[in-house]
Amino acid sequence: RVKVKKVYEIEITDLHSRGRRSPWPSPTIDPTEEGYVLTGDRNVVQVDMMARYMVADPVAFALHFSEPEAALKSAIMAATVRTMGEVDVDSVLSEGRAAFIVKVVQRAQQRLDRSGTGIDLVSIEVTDLAPPEQVKEDFDQVQAAFIDMQTQVTDAKRARELEVPKTQAAKDQTLREAQGYAAELLAQARG
């Protein structure tokens, strides 16, 4: 019997270093040992997910596939890789994460429907999304430099907002003084 009202969970660690076979840290990112995904701006990230699903068609789920969870995993990983390739790393690490998850769920469900697995994807939860350990320190430095740059730009804009009116006022004052001096000289010349 297949329980059709139960929400099942499956952890997907194949695109993360937690899913690797070797317990020792490697100096490089080896795709045969640990998974990763490339973003649209050519950054490397590792993603760890938890998928929740329900069985919509118990006959297809139990009889048409020997390993329906493997098909589910494959569909989610393919959708993740494709969607991640369309977005920038900054977007997916911050405000674009929700849109990213929605797009992955849609693509994975379309693939599951086409293959007739009998699975309805309920949700995907990204439990970890970060750069690989081998490049994490460099990534953090780039992020810190980007934040410093944003801070400097903000400070420069603030200084401009303060200095431009002061300079404008000084220019206007100098212009008025020059016009007054010119009028005085003109009056002396006429006199």
Side-chain angles (χ1 to χ4, degrees), residues 3-181:
K3 297 178 181 176
V4 294
K5 293 186 179 184
K6 180 180 177 187
V7 176
Y8 296 91
E9 289 186 350
I10 183 170
E11 191 172 19
I12 301 169
T13 60
D14 294 349
L15 299 173
H16 199 282
S17 60
R18 287 193 325 143
R20 71 182 194 181
R21 293 182 274 285
S22 173
W24 297 284
S26 133
T28 62
I29 304 169
D30 184 2
T32 61
E33 287 292 319
E34 56 185 295
Y36 60 85
V37 183
L38 292 175
T39 63
D41 56 353
R42 299 184 189 138
N43 280 295
V44 177
V45 293
Q46 293 182 323
V47 61
D48 192 13
M49 298 177 285
M50 177 69 71
R52 291 176 183 81
Y53 67 96
M54 293 176 69
V55 176
D57 183 359
V59 173
F61 181 81
L63 301 177
H64 294 207
F65 285 90
S66 59
E67 295 181 26
E69 285 190 344
L72 172 66
K73 246 180 162 177
S74 174
I76 292 173
M77 288 186 346
T80 301
V81 169
R82 182 174 175 196
T83 306
M84 190 70 76
E86 296 173 351
V87 297
D88 294 340
V89 70
D90 294 329
S91 170
V92 78
L93 288 175
S94 58
E95 74 277 349
R97 186 180 289 206
F100 166 75
I101 292 171
V102 168
K103 192 75 169 172
V104 169
V105 169
Q106 289 172 349
R107 284 186 170 156
Q109 187 62 55
Q110 288 172 354
R111 188 171 179 158
L112 291 169
D113 292 345
R114 279 194 309 266
S115 61
T117 57
I119 294 175
D120 275 344
L121 197 52
V122 175
S123 68
I124 292 177
E125 177 187 346
V126 176
T127 53
D128 188 27
L129 179 63
E133 288 298 320
Q134 294 87 342
V135 296
K136 185 164 179 48
E137 184 177 323
D138 296 330
F139 187 84
D140 290 342
Q141 289 176 357
V142 168
Q143 291 296 99
F146 181 75
I147 291 170
D148 288 346
M149 180 195 70
Q150 292 293 86
T151 303
Q152 289 177 357
V153 166
T154 303
D155 291 346
K157 286 179 181 178
R158 189 175 306 123
R160 181 185 67 196
E161 290 171 1
L162 294 174
E163 293 300 320
V164 168
K166 285 181 187 176
T167 307
Q168 185 71 30
K171 179 191 85 161
D172 292 343
Q173 178 67 27
T174 305
L175 189 59
R176 282 192 300 276
E177 288 174 2
Q179 288 171 343
Y181 181 67

